[in-house]
Amino acid sequence: MDNNEVLRKLPKIDQVLNDQRLVAVFEDVPREVVVDAVRKSVDEMRKDMLAGKETDAESIFERVEKLVKKTGTKSLRRVINATGVIIHTNLGRSVLPEDACRNASFVSTGYSSLEYNLKKGTRGSRHDHIEPLIKRITGAEAAMAVNNNAAATLLCLAAISGEKETIVSRGELVEIGGSFRIPDIMDISRARLVEVGTTNKTKIDDYKKALTRDSAMILKVHKSNYAIVGFTDETELEELVGLGKKAGLPVAYDMGSGLIADLSEYGIREANVENVLKTGIDMVFFSGDKLLGGPQAGIIAGRKKYIDKMKEHPLARALRIDKMTAAAMEAVLYEYLDEENAVKKIPVLKMITDSEKELEKKAKKCAEKIKEALKENEGFHISVQPSENRIGGGTTPLTILPGFAVVIGHNEITPEKTEKSLRANSIPVIARIHKESVNIEMRTVTEEETDIIAETLKSIYGGEDE
Ligand SMILES: *Cc1c(COP(=O)(O)O)cnc(C)c1O
């Protein structure tokens, strides 16, 4: 084709844009994105025609649709977590209960009582919504929520220690991932770090000897994502609390995971907020989106005089939670008023407590669906196998939950190819490769999601052999 002929055959941008087929398909996509895609598609088509490739002008709609799918989708997307890691740090940590999301949506699509006292008709505090629930559930005298647990640590150090000394065991100077390192946070807060003991042993006498006129606080940090085993000694919380009382110093505990429910019958031996507060400790803080199973937040609970100090500190404003988080958090905490119910309704707790039997049943059903989806393709072998799952999120590093996976292998197609195709789906499926196969872990996928996984595999490999 020569240039003139191409120009004649090439679809006109305006015509394409006004075509009913596009209007209907892209109702939800901003016009900018569609216009861009049409321009690029017409451009590509011109190049193809000039290169002498067989080109049908009608294929413009297909080209535009493909391009919009690629460029017009949002960056932050819903994915299916088939890794079996429940609180997956890279996949958004805790999955929220539906009720919590509905409440966040309802409260924030209109005006709200975020800082308004409905009884008095006057200004209120955003703490008023969550604080009563935390007090009731944990037995704390007062409570507040900030952006995350890193923020809680920072605020506590800045407000309670100030520029004075905070004593921490050398075995607890942890890095939590990302760039949260206790010594760095202390630096930023301007609290002076006094390290005591050794990596594997810190005794109450080590803390005692470190006390000076400049001491402001004793801080304990939970070894969330690692364990020190062997020749070890860790000071009991009760001893620390006792020492704090004698010395007239507050004791704070960065608990990390924030377990509220009692999961001991499921083999999860992680300190529970209520029990820690019963030791008489002054302050605890923990994440909202680890074992609590709520939205991202840092919850601080403890003695009113310290919580008040934190609420009044200038950093509190910079670290505060917004109304969507407050609404979601209130709904999640509400579930904890009935703990048996909480274990069923909060996805993180449900995933942790799902039994092997249930997982095996789900796996068998899922394997059947996948076999059906791939039946035209003979090279696949699908099986159900026991596996190991982790809670993740830097919690319970030694806990392994027995799981079940649907294992997808193929004689020729590499697991890397299948993993990548699953990840490229409109609802991306994130799976793990293990021993030359793709594993779909049942603990972190719902029944409905197994349908999507089967459909996705069908659309990738459906019918014809690769
Ligand atoms: C996870 C964790 C943090 C950080 O919490 P975020 O909510 O991620 O900010 C801090 N301290 C400990 C001990 C943790 O386990």
Side-chain angles (χ1 to χ4, degrees), residues 239-284:
E239 278 184 292
L240 271 189
V241 171
L243 178 64
K245 282 217 166 72
K246 244 191 251 157
L249 291 183
V251 180
Y253 186 10
D254 172 6
M255 291 184 65
S257 327
L259 180 63
I260 289 183
D262 182 1
L263 296 182
S264 54
E265 69 171 289
Y266 302 98
I268 310 299
R269 266 167 281 281
E270 177 84 14
N272 156 307
V273 176
E274 190 180 353
N275 290 340
V276 167
L277 282 167
K278 272 189 192 146
T279 63
I281 196 160
D282 300 284
M283 287 159 278
V284 298

Short mmCIF file of all heavy atoms in Angstrom, two decimals, residues 239-284:
data_model
loop_
_atom_site.label_atom_id
_atom_site.label_comp_id
_atom_site.label_asym_id
_atom_site.label_seq_id
_atom_site.Cartn_x
_atom_site.Cartn_y
_atom_site.Cartn_z
N GLU A 239 8.35 -8.84 85.90
CA GLU A 239 9.54 -8.28 86.57
C GLU A 239 9.79 -6.85 86.11
O GLU A 239 10.11 -5.98 86.91
CB GLU A 239 10.76 -9.14 86.24
CG GLU A 239 10.91 -10.38 87.07
CD GLU A 239 12.20 -11.10 86.73
OE1 GLU A 239 12.30 -11.62 85.59
OE2 GLU A 239 13.10 -11.12 87.58
N LEU A 240 9.65 -6.64 84.80
CA LEU A 240 9.87 -5.30 84.25
C LEU A 240 8.86 -4.32 84.81
O LEU A 240 9.19 -3.19 85.19
CB LEU A 240 9.72 -5.31 82.73
CG LEU A 240 10.95 -5.61 81.88
CD1 LEU A 240 10.64 -5.36 80.42
CD2 LEU A 240 12.13 -4.75 82.32
N VAL A 241 7.59 -4.76 84.87
CA VAL A 241 6.54 -3.90 85.40
C VAL A 241 6.83 -3.55 86.86
O VAL A 241 6.71 -2.40 87.29
CB VAL A 241 5.15 -4.58 85.26
CG1 VAL A 241 4.07 -3.81 86.00
CG2 VAL A 241 4.79 -4.72 83.78
N GLY A 242 7.29 -4.56 87.61
CA GLY A 242 7.64 -4.35 89.01
C GLY A 242 8.76 -3.34 89.15
O GLY A 242 8.70 -2.43 89.99
N LEU A 243 9.78 -3.48 88.31
CA LEU A 243 10.91 -2.56 88.36
C LEU A 243 10.47 -1.13 88.02
O LEU A 243 10.87 -0.17 88.69
CB LEU A 243 12.01 -3.01 87.37
CG LEU A 243 13.24 -2.12 87.30
CD1 LEU A 243 13.99 -2.11 88.62
CD2 LEU A 243 14.18 -2.56 86.16
N GLY A 244 9.62 -1.02 87.01
CA GLY A 244 9.11 0.29 86.60
C GLY A 244 8.39 0.97 87.76
O GLY A 244 8.58 2.16 88.03
N LYS A 245 7.55 0.19 88.48
CA LYS A 245 6.79 0.73 89.60
C LYS A 245 7.72 1.27 90.68
O LYS A 245 7.54 2.37 91.19
CB LYS A 245 5.89 -0.36 90.19
CG LYS A 245 4.66 -0.60 89.37
CD LYS A 245 3.43 -0.89 90.24
CE LYS A 245 2.20 -0.78 89.37
NZ LYS A 245 2.10 -1.92 88.41
N LYS A 246 8.75 0.42 91.00
CA LYS A 246 9.69 0.80 92.06
C LYS A 246 10.43 2.07 91.68
O LYS A 246 10.65 2.95 92.52
CB LYS A 246 10.68 -0.35 92.29
CG LYS A 246 10.56 -0.93 93.70
CD LYS A 246 11.72 -1.86 94.00
CE LYS A 246 11.26 -3.31 94.05
NZ LYS A 246 12.35 -4.25 93.79
N ALA A 247 10.82 2.14 90.40
CA ALA A 247 11.64 3.27 89.96
C ALA A 247 10.78 4.47 89.57
O ALA A 247 11.31 5.54 89.25
CB ALA A 247 12.51 2.85 88.79
N GLY A 248 9.46 4.28 89.56
CA GLY A 248 8.57 5.37 89.16
C GLY A 248 8.67 5.70 87.67
O GLY A 248 8.50 6.83 87.25
N LEU A 249 8.93 4.64 86.87
CA LEU A 249 9.05 4.85 85.42
C LEU A 249 7.98 4.08 84.67
O LEU A 249 7.67 2.94 85.03
CB LEU A 249 10.41 4.32 84.91
CG LEU A 249 11.67 5.05 85.32
CD1 LEU A 249 12.86 4.39 84.65
CD2 LEU A 249 11.58 6.51 84.88
N PRO A 250 7.42 4.65 83.60
CA PRO A 250 6.46 3.88 82.80
C PRO A 250 7.16 2.78 82.01
O PRO A 250 8.30 2.94 81.57
CB PRO A 250 5.87 4.93 81.86
CG PRO A 250 6.89 6.01 81.78
CD PRO A 250 7.60 6.02 83.10
N VAL A 251 6.43 1.65 81.85
CA VAL A 251 6.93 0.54 81.03
C VAL A 251 6.00 0.41 79.83
O VAL A 251 4.78 0.37 79.99
CB VAL A 251 6.94 -0.77 81.84
CG1 VAL A 251 7.45 -1.93 80.98
CG2 VAL A 251 7.80 -0.63 83.08
N ALA A 252 6.59 0.38 78.62
CA ALA A 252 5.79 0.24 77.40
C ALA A 252 6.21 -1.02 76.67
O ALA A 252 7.36 -1.45 76.76
CB ALA A 252 5.99 1.46 76.50
N TYR A 253 5.27 -1.62 75.95
CA TYR A 253 5.54 -2.85 75.22
C TYR A 253 5.04 -2.71 73.79
O TYR A 253 3.85 -2.54 73.56
CB TYR A 253 4.84 -4.02 75.94
CG TYR A 253 5.13 -5.40 75.40
CD1 TYR A 253 6.12 -5.63 74.45
CD2 TYR A 253 4.41 -6.51 75.86
CE1 TYR A 253 6.39 -6.91 73.96
CE2 TYR A 253 4.65 -7.79 75.39
CZ TYR A 253 5.65 -7.98 74.44
OH TYR A 253 5.90 -9.24 73.97
N ASP A 254 5.98 -2.74 72.85
CA ASP A 254 5.61 -2.78 71.43
C ASP A 254 5.32 -4.23 71.10
O ASP A 254 6.23 -5.03 70.91
CB ASP A 254 6.78 -2.24 70.59
CG ASP A 254 6.55 -2.43 69.10
OD1 ASP A 254 5.44 -2.88 68.72
OD2 ASP A 254 7.46 -2.13 68.32
N MET A 255 4.03 -4.57 71.06
CA MET A 255 3.64 -5.97 70.89
C MET A 255 3.65 -6.43 69.44
O MET A 255 3.57 -7.62 69.16
CB MET A 255 2.24 -6.20 71.47
CG MET A 255 2.19 -6.09 72.97
SD MET A 255 0.54 -6.48 73.59
CE MET A 255 0.37 -8.20 73.13
N GLY A 256 3.63 -5.51 68.52
CA GLY A 256 3.67 -5.89 67.10
C GLY A 256 2.37 -6.47 66.58
O GLY A 256 1.55 -5.76 66.00
N SER A 257 2.13 -7.76 66.87
CA SER A 257 1.04 -8.48 66.18
C SER A 257 -0.36 -8.11 66.60
O SER A 257 -1.29 -8.21 65.80
CB SER A 257 1.20 -9.97 66.38
OG SER A 257 2.54 -10.33 66.45
N GLY A 258 -0.56 -7.75 67.87
CA GLY A 258 -1.89 -7.31 68.29
C GLY A 258 -2.95 -8.38 68.32
O GLY A 258 -4.08 -8.17 67.88
N LEU A 259 -2.58 -9.53 68.89
CA LEU A 259 -3.59 -10.59 69.02
C LEU A 259 -4.58 -10.23 70.11
O LEU A 259 -4.19 -9.94 71.24
CB LEU A 259 -2.89 -11.92 69.34
CG LEU A 259 -3.81 -13.13 69.49
CD1 LEU A 259 -4.54 -13.43 68.20
CD2 LEU A 259 -3.02 -14.34 69.96
N ILE A 260 -5.86 -10.23 69.78
CA ILE A 260 -6.89 -9.95 70.78
C ILE A 260 -7.64 -11.22 71.13
O ILE A 260 -7.89 -11.52 72.29
CB ILE A 260 -7.85 -8.84 70.27
CG1 ILE A 260 -7.10 -7.51 70.27
CG2 ILE A 260 -9.09 -8.76 71.14
CD1 ILE A 260 -7.92 -6.33 69.86
N ALA A 261 -7.99 -12.00 70.12
CA ALA A 261 -8.71 -13.25 70.38
C ALA A 261 -7.77 -14.26 71.04
O ALA A 261 -6.55 -14.13 70.94
CB ALA A 261 -9.22 -13.81 69.06
N ASP A 262 -8.33 -15.24 71.71
CA ASP A 262 -7.51 -16.30 72.29
C ASP A 262 -7.42 -17.44 71.27
O ASP A 262 -8.41 -18.12 71.01
CB ASP A 262 -8.14 -16.78 73.60
CG ASP A 262 -7.31 -17.86 74.27
OD1 ASP A 262 -6.24 -18.20 73.71
OD2 ASP A 262 -7.72 -18.36 75.34
N LEU A 263 -6.25 -17.64 70.69
CA LEU A 263 -6.11 -18.66 69.66
C LEU A 263 -5.30 -19.86 70.15
O LEU A 263 -4.80 -20.65 69.36
CB LEU A 263 -5.45 -18.07 68.40
CG LEU A 263 -6.23 -16.98 67.66
CD1 LEU A 263 -5.47 -16.54 66.42
CD2 LEU A 263 -7.63 -17.45 67.28
N SER A 264 -5.18 -19.99 71.49
CA SER A 264 -4.32 -21.06 72.02
C SER A 264 -4.85 -22.43 71.63
O SER A 264 -4.08 -23.35 71.37
CB SER A 264 -4.15 -20.92 73.53
OG SER A 264 -5.40 -20.87 74.15
N GLU A 265 -6.18 -22.56 71.53
CA GLU A 265 -6.71 -23.88 71.16
C GLU A 265 -6.39 -24.23 69.70
O GLU A 265 -6.55 -25.36 69.27
CB GLU A 265 -8.23 -23.97 71.42
CG GLU A 265 -9.06 -23.11 70.50
CD GLU A 265 -10.57 -23.39 70.65
OE1 GLU A 265 -11.01 -24.47 70.23
OE2 GLU A 265 -11.28 -22.50 71.17
N TYR A 266 -5.93 -23.24 68.94
CA TYR A 266 -5.51 -23.51 67.55
C TYR A 266 -3.99 -23.56 67.44
O TYR A 266 -3.43 -23.51 66.35
CB TYR A 266 -6.06 -22.43 66.61
CG TYR A 266 -7.57 -22.33 66.64
CD1 TYR A 266 -8.21 -21.37 67.42
CD2 TYR A 266 -8.35 -23.21 65.90
CE1 TYR A 266 -9.59 -21.28 67.46
CE2 TYR A 266 -9.73 -23.13 65.94
CZ TYR A 266 -10.34 -22.16 66.73
OH TYR A 266 -11.71 -22.08 66.76
N GLY A 267 -3.33 -23.62 68.59
CA GLY A 267 -1.88 -23.77 68.57
C GLY A 267 -1.12 -22.47 68.37
O GLY A 267 0.07 -22.49 68.09
N ILE A 268 -1.80 -21.32 68.47
CA ILE A 268 -1.11 -20.05 68.29
C ILE A 268 -0.78 -19.50 69.67
O ILE A 268 -1.65 -19.02 70.39
CB ILE A 268 -1.99 -19.02 67.53
CG1 ILE A 268 -2.55 -19.63 66.25
CG2 ILE A 268 -1.20 -17.74 67.24
CD1 ILE A 268 -1.54 -20.09 65.25
N ARG A 269 0.49 -19.60 70.04
CA ARG A 269 0.90 -19.12 71.35
C ARG A 269 1.59 -17.77 71.20
O ARG A 269 2.80 -17.69 71.14
CB ARG A 269 1.80 -20.15 72.03
CG ARG A 269 1.00 -21.08 72.94
CD ARG A 269 1.80 -22.28 73.35
NE ARG A 269 1.83 -23.28 72.29
CZ ARG A 269 0.82 -24.11 72.05
NH1 ARG A 269 -0.27 -24.08 72.76
NH2 ARG A 269 0.93 -24.99 71.08
N GLU A 270 0.76 -16.76 71.08
CA GLU A 270 1.27 -15.41 70.90
C GLU A 270 0.63 -14.59 72.01
O GLU A 270 -0.53 -14.81 72.34
CB GLU A 270 0.82 -14.91 69.51
CG GLU A 270 1.20 -13.50 69.17
CD GLU A 270 2.61 -13.37 68.61
OE1 GLU A 270 3.23 -14.39 68.24
OE2 GLU A 270 3.09 -12.24 68.56
N ALA A 271 1.40 -13.66 72.60
CA ALA A 271 0.86 -12.89 73.72
C ALA A 271 -0.40 -12.14 73.27
O ALA A 271 -0.46 -11.58 72.19
CB ALA A 271 1.89 -11.91 74.22
N ASN A 272 -1.38 -12.16 74.15
CA ASN A 272 -2.68 -11.58 73.86
C ASN A 272 -2.77 -10.24 74.61
O ASN A 272 -2.27 -10.11 75.72
CB ASN A 272 -3.66 -12.67 74.33
CG ASN A 272 -5.02 -12.22 74.68
OD1 ASN A 272 -5.18 -11.32 75.49
ND2 ASN A 272 -5.99 -12.86 74.10
N VAL A 273 -3.34 -9.23 73.97
CA VAL A 273 -3.30 -7.87 74.49
C VAL A 273 -3.87 -7.78 75.91
O VAL A 273 -3.28 -7.17 76.80
CB VAL A 273 -4.05 -6.90 73.55
CG1 VAL A 273 -4.10 -5.50 74.15
CG2 VAL A 273 -3.40 -6.86 72.17
N GLU A 274 -5.00 -8.43 76.11
CA GLU A 274 -5.68 -8.36 77.41
C GLU A 274 -4.78 -8.91 78.53
O GLU A 274 -4.65 -8.30 79.59
CB GLU A 274 -6.98 -9.17 77.33
CG GLU A 274 -7.87 -8.97 78.53
CD GLU A 274 -9.16 -9.79 78.43
OE1 GLU A 274 -9.39 -10.41 77.36
OE2 GLU A 274 -9.90 -9.82 79.42
N ASN A 275 -4.13 -10.06 78.25
CA ASN A 275 -3.27 -10.68 79.27
C ASN A 275 -2.05 -9.82 79.57
O ASN A 275 -1.60 -9.75 80.71
CB ASN A 275 -2.82 -12.07 78.82
CG ASN A 275 -3.98 -13.05 78.84
OD1 ASN A 275 -4.99 -12.80 79.52
ND2 ASN A 275 -3.88 -14.11 78.08
N VAL A 276 -1.52 -9.18 78.54
CA VAL A 276 -0.34 -8.33 78.75
C VAL A 276 -0.74 -7.12 79.61
O VAL A 276 -0.02 -6.75 80.54
CB VAL A 276 0.25 -7.88 77.40
CG1 VAL A 276 1.26 -6.76 77.61
CG2 VAL A 276 0.93 -9.05 76.70
N LEU A 277 -1.92 -6.55 79.36
CA LEU A 277 -2.36 -5.40 80.15
C LEU A 277 -2.60 -5.79 81.61
O LEU A 277 -2.43 -4.98 82.52
CB LEU A 277 -3.62 -4.79 79.54
CG LEU A 277 -3.37 -3.91 78.30
CD1 LEU A 277 -4.67 -3.61 77.57
CD2 LEU A 277 -2.66 -2.61 78.68
N LYS A 278 -2.99 -7.05 81.83
CA LYS A 278 -3.25 -7.52 83.19
C LYS A 278 -2.00 -7.52 84.06
O LYS A 278 -2.09 -7.53 85.29
CB LYS A 278 -3.83 -8.94 83.15
CG LYS A 278 -5.34 -8.94 83.02
CD LYS A 278 -5.89 -10.35 83.20
CE LYS A 278 -7.35 -10.39 82.78
NZ LYS A 278 -7.71 -11.67 82.16
N THR A 279 -0.81 -7.51 83.45
CA THR A 279 0.43 -7.47 84.24
C THR A 279 0.58 -6.11 84.91
O THR A 279 1.47 -5.92 85.74
CB THR A 279 1.68 -7.68 83.36
OG1 THR A 279 1.76 -6.61 82.41
CG2 THR A 279 1.65 -9.02 82.64
N GLY A 280 -0.27 -5.14 84.55
CA GLY A 280 -0.17 -3.81 85.13
C GLY A 280 0.76 -2.90 84.33
O GLY A 280 1.15 -1.82 84.79
N ILE A 281 1.11 -3.31 83.13
CA ILE A 281 1.99 -2.52 82.26
C ILE A 281 1.32 -1.17 81.94
O ILE A 281 0.08 -1.06 81.94
CB ILE A 281 2.32 -3.31 80.98
CG1 ILE A 281 3.52 -2.69 80.27
CG2 ILE A 281 1.12 -3.39 80.04
CD1 ILE A 281 4.20 -3.63 79.32
N ASP A 282 2.13 -0.15 81.68
CA ASP A 282 1.58 1.19 81.48
C ASP A 282 1.01 1.43 80.08
O ASP A 282 0.02 2.11 79.92
CB ASP A 282 2.65 2.23 81.80
CG ASP A 282 3.11 2.11 83.23
OD1 ASP A 282 2.35 2.56 84.11
OD2 ASP A 282 4.18 1.54 83.48
N MET A 283 1.72 0.89 79.07
CA MET A 283 1.27 1.12 77.69
C MET A 283 1.62 -0.08 76.82
O MET A 283 2.69 -0.66 76.97
CB MET A 283 2.01 2.31 77.06
CG MET A 283 1.61 3.66 77.55
SD MET A 283 2.97 4.80 77.19
CE MET A 283 4.07 4.50 78.56
N VAL A 284 0.74 -0.43 75.91
CA VAL A 284 1.09 -1.39 74.86
C VAL A 284 0.70 -0.77 73.52
O VAL A 284 -0.20 0.08 73.47
CB VAL A 284 0.35 -2.75 75.01
CG1 VAL A 284 0.72 -3.43 76.30
CG2 VAL A 284 -1.15 -2.57 74.89
#
